[in-house]
Amino acid sequence: MSPAHSRRALIVLTTLVAIIGVITVGVLVGGLFVGEADAASSTETTSPVQSSTTTDEVGVSEEPYSEPVPEEGDPFFEAEASDGRWISYINPRDDYRSPYLGDGSGKICTALLNEAGDPVVGESIPNTTVTVDTGDELEWHDDADPFVVEYPLTTHYDRPLDADQFGTTAGLPQGDGYLDSHCLEWHGLPEDETVRYGEPTIDGDHADDVELVGVVEQPNDTWDSDVDPIGDAQPYEETGGWTYYTDGSHGQAVVVLQLDRDGAALEDTTSVDDDSTSGDDSTGDDSDTATPDDGTDEQSNSSEPDAAADTDEEPIPGFGSLVALAAVAAVVVFGWRREVTP
């Protein structure tokens, strides 16, 4: 090959190498942009929708017992004060002393609430009793001395609840329109009599599942139902009885009880599990399509290796064309070299 031909070959070869280099850089840069775009696209399509569920809600061991108060005309409706101060319903445990000694009247009740503070009848605590000693003043009463309440109320009594002791409504002088207490009532005590009752005791199969919240006592007056049975209950030591006086010949006390089960046993079956809830609080790993028991975090993690494997198997776009171009350049140079060779 002559020097002129050699220089020409070198120029052509250098030009081809430069072209290949430019194409290589372009392909690499383009591949990076494509990779970033794919990653962004993957993030957008797989990013889970924020779950609409909130934190776990603790359930209750017994559903509320809802029984409306008797309306006028009902056999269990008794009377309503002409001045609207009180309203009364028939109670099978209402007894009149004979001989009738005076205008002293009153009642002692139990109100059982579930963990949410709603009235229940003790279906979840069978073979459990609450006992309140009532002493000599009420020994004549058929259901007193002591006053014993057996659960469930629906099994042991024809009228499980008979009083509306808590809540208010515009349509009634007392109560919110739903029975919530099981009571013992009496009439006919002297106006100077002292009524005493003992500290309530809980016995039976589920005694450990019932908490004695306290006693709501209102002596010498018409019962005011605008009180909170839990918040306004006082320890027995601060209650325990009252003495009648003229124009104050009525009094009532409600022993407030509440179901107190282990929180772990009361999880609501419709609530999400802890893993799903924690996802909402942090990265939002819960999706609307994931069921609570599936564990959304595990699903998300298990999909990552597959995505990485797919990426590794795919060639960088453009390298096939680059190899073909290099082959063509080699053929061209080789053919051109043969033509110029003497």
Side-chain angles (χ1 to χ4, degrees), residues 146-164:
F147 176 38
V148 180
V149 181
E150 301 178 79
Y151 293 103
L153 299 177
T154 46
T155 300
H156 297 285
Y157 306 97
D158 292 335
R159 190 156 180 76
L161 300 178
D162 51 74
D164 183 4

Side-chain angles (χ1 to χ4, degrees), residues 103-107 138 186-187 189-195 220 242-246 248-251:
D103 292 332
S105 64
K107 62 173 68 174
L138 297 175
W186 65 86
H187 298 267
L189 295 183
E191 290 186 345
D192 58 351
E193 188 86 349
T194 296
V195 174
N220 311 120
W242 64 90
T243 300
Y244 293 122
Y245 56 80
T246 304
S249 58
H250 181 77

Side-chain angles (χ1 to χ4, degrees), residues 53-56 271-282 286:
T53 56
T54 58
T55 57
D56 288 1
S271 64
V272 296
D273 59 13
D274 292 338
D275 291 337
S276 299
T277 303
S278 63
D280 288 341
D281 294 337
S282 55
D286 293 332

